Amino acid sequence: MNPIGPAVKKPATLDDVAAIAGVSAKTVSRVVNRNANVSAATRERIEAAIRETGYRVNQAARSLAASRSFLIGAFMPHLSSFYFAEIFRGAAKACRQYGYHLVLEEFDHGADSVVDRYEQGLRGAHCDALILTPPVCDDEKLLDALDRDGLPYVRIAPGEQLGRSVAVGADERRAVEQLVTHLWDGGRRRFAIIAGPADHAAAMVRERAFCNALGALGGDPAGVALARIELNESIAEAGRIATLDLLRDVGQLPDAIFAFNDEVAIGAMAGIRELGRSIPEDIAVAGFDDSYIAQLVWPPLTTIHQPIADLAFQAVRLVADPEGFSTGNILLPTSLVVRGTT
Amino acid sequence: MNPIGPAVKKPATLDDVAAIAGVSAKTVSRVVNRNANVSAATRERIEAAIRETGYRVNQAARSLAASRSFLIGAFMPHLSSFYFAEIFRGAAKACRQYGYHLVLEEFDHGADSVVDRYEQGLRGAHCDALILTPPVCDDEKLLDALDRDGLPYVRIAPGEQLGRSVAVGADERRAVEQLVTHLWDGGRRRFAIIAGPADHAAAMVRERAFCNALGALGGDPAGVALARIELNESIAEAGRIATLDLLRDVGQLPDAIFAFNDEVAIGAMAGIRELGRSIPEDIAVAGFDDSYIAQLVWPPLTTIHQPIADLAFQAVRLVADPEGFSTGNILLPTSLVVRGTT
DNA sequence: TTTTTCATTGTCAGCGCTGACATGATTAGA
DNA sequence: TCTAATCATGTCAGCGCTGACAATGAAAAA
């Protein structure tokens, strides 16, 4: 293998291909870019020459000339490796389909300011667009910076300022209402929420939706106990700690807990067990996301399914598909998945 | 927000900065690239001008001129979203540190040939180097293609042809030996392996290490039952199915199971319970990776810890750090983490 | 003082590609 | 038949940057 440095073998250029095919570089460019108005015969000749030389577009040159990078950027916050992997899956699939590449930047919640990470990192990658997931999709300073730079972005599940950009979301509210009804019908009356980080606007919306739905059923929204997790290395561990704190401080134990996501829910389950309570008899638990670990724990976790990969796919499509932008916002369906914890 | 297209606001160029600072573009370039031999006064003037204009390097232009893209590519196979997230974390951190960006390409085990995915995807991104994880790091056809293109790569945990490239690995063998000893000392005598995909060479090496260690202790390597998972949507589910098959077919039930990774181990636990056996009394279970779910299941999973993020960090460092390549291969430590399943 | 050295800065071509525009070859329309 | 429209292809500048080399001037050595 070769150390990094000037390419070992000089790759073929448009001119090389053009020389072999006996045409101008521009015509080869037309073929490569699938432009119309190239005769079938010429096209075939050029395609043969491309095969012969193993020609690949030089993205740098193309970017420079066309002022496009064919790169789509995203921040990947550390809230759930499942969520992360799914977002990646959907986005990568769409990128492949539309001829883009994905540039991913890590974003450590506690440590960094997203704007700094953008200024010092992703901005330098000169992406054509950004895909923003919670919580960065609600960071106003970041959005201001992007608007300032004229960098297009699509937000996934924004909690606030829905009109500020094109966005892709899941119908979380409806599933939350179903969940509340499900819990209520199961006889649960004392509720607690193990909430996500305060800057995760979509989660805040979920919390409100939960309380509203409860009120609609005749419950007492004000009586819902709430503990917010403190981010640390493991979000499940954060959920366990928050749950223990909540269960210790609260006067009467809740009989149902709604967690920020499945990992937090699983942490909550551990905390509940530590206090000698059983699930679901004493306390029901529900998560969010329907990640695959939801099925692996015991009892299997009741949760809300949302099409995470598809969300990301649609987000990329909106920026990468020439038709996309006119389409406007997208709302995908969610569903309540009842399993053993409720 | 803006639709994709020609940049809305024209970003500042080297020439803009140079004009303001009253120097040549080349001198600005020197400052940007931290070259020596620029006087302190000039440097300061230029840095002020850079701040004033909000100048950012245009990577496309830089790449074109310097024949480097400052991009590092990687394939992300779907074996474990935990493994994936950790690899990403380490690689992203290193990229940030060394001024590179990460281009990630999805790779769906069952469906694609890696070489095709390289030819049609990553190759077009013109990365400066690739980071390869199992199982693609052992795909000879891919390595041949990379060598042909003169594209440098670092392999993480290669199972075969260790000398073929610079590589970063974990000392898996040693931890496997510790595990076997631990199981043996616990009185276990009938072993089974729920193995990973056949093209995952590192896992194959682990299997052999397991059998060898068993032989060294006086056990019967030939008596180890083996079931290989069939990849499907959920690797845990694949583990559950493989385990059920194995337990049904085998004459006498094993009293210890070593799984390809933690997710497979958790699937195995589910399968064992379905057959009405208890863990660890009837059957001990051990995983691999020490992912965070290992602590979340009940009983908590005994597993082998490997520094996945660090592996990826070192891999990127090898290609991105000018000093890196001379360093040669790297072997990181692993450790046995004994929990409740053994 | 004169020559040499070397740190600092500048000049310029060209990386590979595409957009704007020009040209030549066909075909359709009058 | 002649003109206009359309298609197929070519020409060329220049995107923003860096590498190779040149020039400048001040300090060091002779």
Side-chain angles (χ1 to χ4, degrees), chain B residues 14 26 29 33 55 61-62 65:
Chain B
L14 276 187
K26 181 68 210 190
S29 167
N33 290 289
Y55 172 79
R62 191 214 285 250

Side-chain angles (χ1 to χ4, degrees), chain A residues 1-5 8-9 54 56-61 63-64 67-68 76 78 81-82 84-85 88-89 92-93 96 100-106 112 117 119-126 128-129 147-148 150-154 164-166 233 236 263 266 292-293 296 319 325, chain B residues 1-5 8-9 54 56-61 63-64 67-68 76 78 81-82 84-85 88-89 92-93 96 100-106 112 117 119-126 128-129 147-148 150-154 164-166 233 236 263 266 292-293 296 319 325:
Chain A
M1 80 166 286
N2 326 283
I4 281 204
V8 170
K9 209 173 297 175
R56 290 272 126 178
V57 180
N58 179 323
Q59 285 291 354
S63 299
L64 188 58
S67 340
R68 308 226 262 138
M76 282 294 169
H78 278 161
S81 47
F82 167 79
F84 168 36
F88 168 75
R89 218 149 85 114
K93 187 176 166 202
R96 172 144 69 121
Y100 280 74
H101 292 281
L102 248 197
V103 176
L104 254 41
E105 179 108 351
E106 198 198 17
D112 310 308
R117 295 306 310 284
E119 297 288 354
Q120 290 151 26
L122 255 192
R123 187 174 170 216
H126 290 268
D128 287 340
D147 287 342
R148 177 202 65 205
L151 180 55
Y153 54 91
V154 177
R164 183 159 180 179
S165 76
V166 172
E233 271 297 293
E263 282 151 285
I266 289 169
Y292 70 96
I293 43 169
L296 298 179
V319 284
F325 252 76
Chain B
M1 79 166 282
N2 326 284
I4 282 203
V8 170
K9 209 172 296 175
R56 291 269 124 181
V57 180
N58 179 324
Q59 284 291 354
S63 299
L64 187 57
S67 336
R68 308 226 262 139
M76 282 294 169
H78 279 162
S81 48
F82 166 79
F84 167 36
F88 169 75
R89 219 149 84 114
K93 188 177 165 201
R96 173 145 68 123
Y100 280 75
H101 292 281
L102 249 197
V103 176
L104 254 40
E105 179 108 351
E106 197 197 18
D112 309 309
R117 295 305 311 283
E119 297 288 357
Q120 289 152 25
L122 255 193
R123 187 174 169 215
H126 290 268
D128 287 340
D147 287 341
R148 177 204 64 203
L151 180 55
Y153 54 92
V154 177
R164 182 157 181 179
S165 77
V166 172
E233 272 296 295
E263 282 151 284
I266 289 169
Y292 70 94
I293 42 169
L296 297 179
V319 283
F325 252 76

